């Protein structure tokens, strides 16, 4: 049965529609008229129902005109070819319509078999070419899917296996994997990058049997080759991976060489993933198995020292121990990329979390944790990762130093001492003072010690002891009551602290006061 290319006529003038219907014997020319419409709105309903290959349309029509119709066809039915018929007075309008997807135009006064049929047959060639490319694309996509199934050890039927190995006919293979880094959820942008990478591989490695495919944002390339072509192929691989690495935000390519694709490609893939976990230590486009040197040295990070330095606001000290530890990690490459990035994120998180109640500027940067963590997630090299961490700590240090310099520390000490003087009877501590005065705990401790050369907790105890001395001079007040009056919940603890600062117990102190009174 002969197949025809389906044609739809669209014009608001019935005379012109009838003229086109009888222009020639359409079926003898390989075409079949599937209908006619009086405007773009009717045309779209028929296009949806009958799926024409070619639309012949007038420009000026009610409801939806020819240009709007061409726009919609280009967007929703890109495989349909559009031929515009126009009057000579509408030529500027015709030129405008070309950017909206029309494929050709013809003046209505020249609408004859001799002028129209060559245009339609050129459109047919484009349709056939599109179909050929579509079929080729479908075949390539099928091979990609089969290759992925083989790599991931999925079940493949015998017919598909046979099809795949009619394509992969040579003994040896190279497997390359990389990963596209994404800063957001722009899937359209990701697909564009994938196609550009696919085109680069196709154009540069044109002489090799190859498949380029993707698992989400992971790039997978399989190249089938003979031994005699290996050296040249490796040079070509180095060239194309370097070019892609320099032009796109991707991780280094991991190269695994092997033979017997059917049996071994899955193991090569697993091996490549293991190596990829260490790729961040190598600032180059292509990494081979021989680049990875296994070392067993593992040293724990000193979190106690790190947190102590943060408590003292000594961020330069933090930078020093971070650099030292990261140097050891790089030298031994024992930490995988995921763990390394999580470690760096934890350092920043700990620093910011301990300071976020301290200063408005530090609160602002604390809110940027997500941005910083994303930068770490997409860092491509070890040095880039280190720079993010160190720069963040330097920035925090600058902010904290500016804040320290801008605050009147003497004033802070004064309000703290006033607070203790008013509240010594209550259960107060460094933590409660920090909360009530909205001063960061670490900063409060550091500032008080720095300004007074004593700990705030010691100062609180001294104030309570001094107040207790006053009460002890009033012999009517029982000593047991005095301990509660100055903020001590346990009498024994009160006696212990009192003796620490006076070398006397409360009872001994009161006895001494009585003796002195008698002497007067």
């Amino acid at each position: 049965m002969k197949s025809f290319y389906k044609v739809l006529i669209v014009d608001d003038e019935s005379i012109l529609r009838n003229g086109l219907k009888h222009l020639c014997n359409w079926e003898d020319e390989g075409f079949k008229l599937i209908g006619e419409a009086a405007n773009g709105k009717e045309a779209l309903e028929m296009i949806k129902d009958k799926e024409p290959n070619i639309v012949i349309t007038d420009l000026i029509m009610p409801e939806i005109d020819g240009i709007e119709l061409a726009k919609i066809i280009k967007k929703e039915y890109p495989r349909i070819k559009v031929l515009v018929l126009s009057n000579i007075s509408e030529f500027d309008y015709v030129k405008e319509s070309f950017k909206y997807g029309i494929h050709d135009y013809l003046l209505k006064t020249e609408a004859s078999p001799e002028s129209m049929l060559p245009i339609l047959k050129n459109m047919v060639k484009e349709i056939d070419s599109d179909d050929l490319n579509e079929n080729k694309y479908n075949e390539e996509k099928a091979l990609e899917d089969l290759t992925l199934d083989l790599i991931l050890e999925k079940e493949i039927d015998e017919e598909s296996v046979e099809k795949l190995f009619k394509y992969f006919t040579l003994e040896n293979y190279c497997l390359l994997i990389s990963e596209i880094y994404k800063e957001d959820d722009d899937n359209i942008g990701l697909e564009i990058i994938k196609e550009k990478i696919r085109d680069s591989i196709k154009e540069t490695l044109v002489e090799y049997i190859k498949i380029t495919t993707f698992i989400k944002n992971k790039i997978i390339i399989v190249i089938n080759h003979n031994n005699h072509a290996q050296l040249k192929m490796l040079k070509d691989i180095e060239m194309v991976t370097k070019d892609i690495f320099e032009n796109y935000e991707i991780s280094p390519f991991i190269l695994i060489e092997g033979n017997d694709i059917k049996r071994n490609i899955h193991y090569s893939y697993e091996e490549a993933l293991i190596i990829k976990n260490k790729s961040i230590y190598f600032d180059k486009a292509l990494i081979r198995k021989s680049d990875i040197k296994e070392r067993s040295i593992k040293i724990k990070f000193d979190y106690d020292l790190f947190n102590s330095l943060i408590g003292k606001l000594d961020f330069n000290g933090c930078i020093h121990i971070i650099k030292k530890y990261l140097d050891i990690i790089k030298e031994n490459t024992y930490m995988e990329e995921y763990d390394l990035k999580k470690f760096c994120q934890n350092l920043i998180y700990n620093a910011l979390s301990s300071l976020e109640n301290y200063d408005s500027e530090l609160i602002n940067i604390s809110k940027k944790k997500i941005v910083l963590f994303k930068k770490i997630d997409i860092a491509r090299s070890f040095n880039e990762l280190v720079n993010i961490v160190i720069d963040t700590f330097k920035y925090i240090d600058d902010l904290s130093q500016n804040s320290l310099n801008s605050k009147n520390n003497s004033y802070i000490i004064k309000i703290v001492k006033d607070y203790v003087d008013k509240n010594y009877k209550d259960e107060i501590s460094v933590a409660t003072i920090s909360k009530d005065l909205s001063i960061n705990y670490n900063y409060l401790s550091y500032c008080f010690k720095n300004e007074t050369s004593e700990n705030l907790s010691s100062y609180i105890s001294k104030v309570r002891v001094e107040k207790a001395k006053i009460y002890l001079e009033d012999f009517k007040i029982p000593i047991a009551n005095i301990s509660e009056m100055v903020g001590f919940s346990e009498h024994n603890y009160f006696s212990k602290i009192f003796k620490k600062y006076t070398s006397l117990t409360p009872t001994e102190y009161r006895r001494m006061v009585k003796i002195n009174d008698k002497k007067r």
Side-chain angles (χ1 to χ4, degrees):
M1 182 177 177
K2 185 176 179 181
S3 61
F4 298 99
Y5 296 93
K6 296 181 287 186
V7 178
L8 174 66
I9 296 171
V10 188
D11 198 296
D12 61 333
E13 297 179 21
S14 59
I15 294 175
L16 185 63
R17 295 200 303 271
N18 283 327
L20 288 173
K21 282 161 57 177
H22 298 97
L23 184 75
C24 62
N25 189 327
W26 288 95
E27 293 192 3
D28 284 351
E29 301 295 338
F31 300 97
K32 186 176 183 66
L33 295 179
I34 60 164
E36 54 185 279
N39 56 57
K41 185 176 180 182
E42 287 182 14
L44 288 171
E45 291 174 1
M46 297 186 74
I47 288 169
K48 184 178 180 181
D49 184 44
K50 299 192 175 183
E51 299 180 355
N53 303 110
I54 296 170
V55 172
I56 302 172
T57 182
D58 187 16
L59 272 182
I60 309 300
M61 297 182 295
E63 300 272 357
I64 295 176
D65 65 15
I67 284 187
E68 189 61 29
L69 176 61
K71 283 184 188 178
I72 296 169
I73 289 174
K74 181 181 180 181
K75 180 181 178 182
E76 298 184 12
Y77 308 96
R79 292 170 62 80
I80 295 176
K81 309 300 176 187
V82 179
L83 170 62
V84 163
L85 299 179
S86 71
N87 295 313
I88 193 164
S89 61
E90 299 163 359
F91 187 67
D92 288 340
Y93 203 37
V94 171
K95 286 194 297 183
E96 176 74 8
S97 67
F98 267 97
K99 65 183 178 186
Y100 296 121
I102 75 162
H103 294 76
D104 214 329
Y105 79 98
L106 187 65
L107 294 174
K108 289 181 179 180
T109 55
E110 297 176 356
S112 65
E114 293 76 23
S115 58
M116 185 176 287
L117 286 173
I119 293 173
L120 295 176
K121 288 183 177 179
N122 277 334
M123 288 182 170
V124 165
K125 289 178 183 177
E126 289 186 36
I127 292 169
D128 290 342
S129 176
D130 289 346
D131 288 341
L132 186 63
N133 289 334
E134 180 71 17
N135 290 335
K136 186 177 178 184
Y137 171 79
N138 289 335
E139 287 177 11
E140 288 179 355
K141 185 70 173 63
L143 285 172
E144 287 178 20
D145 292 343
L146 286 172
T147 302
L148 270 185
D149 288 345
L150 190 67
I151 286 171
L152 300 176
E153 277 196 314
K154 293 184 179 180
E155 286 190 18
I156 309 175
D157 60 73
E158 287 299 321
E159 184 180 341
S160 296
V161 169
E162 186 178 340
K163 181 178 180 181
L164 183 59
F165 288 101
K166 278 183 180 177
Y167 184 73
F168 288 133
T169 58
L170 304 177
E171 180 182 355
N172 301 305
Y173 67 88
C174 285
L175 173 71
L176 291 153
I177 69 168
S178 178
E179 188 169 352
I180 303 167
Y181 291 123
K182 288 173 58 184
E183 289 196 32
D184 47 42
D185 295 324
D186 180 12
N187 289 322
I188 294 174
L190 178 63
E191 291 305 314
I192 291 170
I193 292 171
K194 285 180 180 179
E195 286 309 307
K196 288 182 177 180
I197 289 173
R198 193 194 302 273
D199 290 343
S200 294
I201 298 295
K202 190 177 291 186
E203 291 167 11
T204 310
L205 304 178
V206 66
E207 61 190 276
Y208 305 105
I209 300 169
K210 63 197 170 294
I211 289 288
T212 302
T213 188
F214 302 88
I215 301 177
K216 294 184 179 178
N217 55 327
K218 194 179 275 93
I219 308 162
I220 301 173
I221 304 163
V222 180
I223 305 169
N224 196 206
H225 68 92
N226 280 324
N227 274 335
H228 67 81
Q230 185 178 22
L231 290 177
K232 180 181 183 304
M233 182 196 64
L234 290 174
K235 287 182 180 178
D236 290 339
I237 287 173
E238 285 183 9
M239 179 177 69
V240 70
T241 54
K242 184 174 184 292
D243 181 64
I244 295 172
F245 185 74
E246 289 175 351
N247 284 285
Y248 301 98
E249 291 294 318
I250 65 169
S251 67
F253 282 91
I254 309 302
L255 171 64
I256 301 291
E257 298 181 66
N259 55 46
D260 193 347
I261 293 180
K262 187 175 181 180
R263 292 176 182 272
N264 296 323
I265 191 76
H266 169 71
Y267 300 110
S268 295
Y269 178 69
E270 294 292 333
E271 190 174 25
L273 290 180
I274 292 170
I275 294 172
K276 183 184 175 298
N277 289 332
K278 304 289 184 74
S279 65
I280 196 166
Y281 298 106
F282 303 89
D283 192 14
K284 58 182 181 177
L286 188 65
I287 299 170
R288 303 183 190 186
K289 184 178 179 180
S290 58
D291 291 321
I292 303 295
K293 295 177 176 59
E294 291 296 332
R295 295 182 175 91
S296 59
I297 299 173
K298 293 186 179 181
I299 299 173
K300 288 185 178 180
F301 183 69
D302 192 342
Y303 277 105
D304 289 338
L305 175 58
F306 174 71
N307 290 327
S308 172
L309 291 169
I310 289 177
K312 297 173 183 175
L313 305 182
D314 184 1
F315 296 106
N316 282 324
C318 290
I319 290 169
H320 175 73
I321 65 168
I322 290 169
K323 278 184 175 178
K324 186 177 178 181
Y325 186 71
L326 290 176
D327 285 344
I328 294 170
I329 289 177
K330 184 177 183 182
E331 183 182 347
N332 294 280
T333 64
Y334 68 77
M335 193 178 284
E336 293 187 352
E337 180 174 337
Y338 176 84
D339 295 328
L340 175 63
K341 288 182 174 180
K342 284 299 174 190
F343 168 72
C344 292
Q345 288 169 343
N346 284 336
L347 294 179
I348 291 174
Y349 180 86
N350 288 346
L352 293 177
S353 295
S354 67
L355 295 167
E356 57 190 3
N357 296 321
Y358 161 59
D359 179 90
S360 60
E361 286 296 325
L362 289 174
I363 292 172
N364 289 336
I365 189 152
S366 182
K367 290 176 181 177
K368 296 176 183 176
K369 281 198 284 261
I370 294 174
V371 176
L372 286 166
F373 289 178
K374 191 65 181 177
K375 286 176 71 176
I376 288 173
D377 281 336
I378 63 174
R380 294 205 299 171
S381 71
F382 182 83
N383 289 338
E384 182 182 354
L385 188 61
V386 172
N387 288 338
I388 293 169
V389 176
I390 300 305
D391 287 349
T392 301
F393 272 83
K394 285 180 178 177
Y395 182 50
I396 296 173
D397 184 48
D398 288 342
L399 286 177
S400 64
Q401 291 304 316
N402 289 339
S403 297
L404 282 173
N405 294 335
S406 66
K407 292 179 184 288
N408 186 333
N409 289 343
S410 297
Y411 174 72
I412 290 175
I413 301 307
K414 181 180 182 305
I415 63 171
V416 169
K417 287 183 174 182
D418 287 345
Y419 179 94
V420 174
D421 195 55
K422 289 178 183 177
N423 298 280
Y424 67 89
K425 299 176 184 178
D426 302 322
E427 291 186 13
I428 60 171
S429 63
V430 179
T432 56
I433 296 172
S434 167
K435 182 180 178 182
D436 291 347
L437 297 182
S438 298
I439 303 173
N440 175 265
Y441 180 95
N442 293 319
Y443 172 68
L444 175 60
S445 299
Y446 170 80
C447 180
F448 197 91
K449 178 69 178 289
N450 192 54
E451 290 290 314
T452 66
S453 300
E454 69 175 323
N455 294 325
L456 178 53
S457 55
S458 297
Y459 176 77
I460 295 169
S461 295
K462 283 174 66 176
V463 168
R464 284 171 167 165
V465 167
E466 291 303 314
K467 298 295 183 182
K469 285 181 180 179
I470 296 171
Y471 291 130
L472 286 168
E473 291 175 7
D474 184 345
F475 304 139
K476 295 178 183 178
I477 305 173
I479 292 176
N481 291 358
I482 292 173
S483 63
E484 291 183 10
M485 292 169 66
V486 295
F488 290 101
S489 57
E490 293 184 7
H491 179 70
N492 289 340
Y493 183 64
F494 163 61
S495 296
K496 182 179 178 181
I497 296 299
F498 192 89
K499 187 170 184 179
K500 176 183 176 181
Y501 288 102
T502 65
S503 300
L504 299 170
T505 65
T507 302
E508 290 170 341
Y509 183 83
R510 175 167 275 184
R511 188 180 301 127
M512 183 188 72
V513 170
K514 285 181 179 179
I515 292 170
N516 290 336
D517 282 351
K518 287 178 181 179
K519 287 181 178 179
R520 293 191 196 110

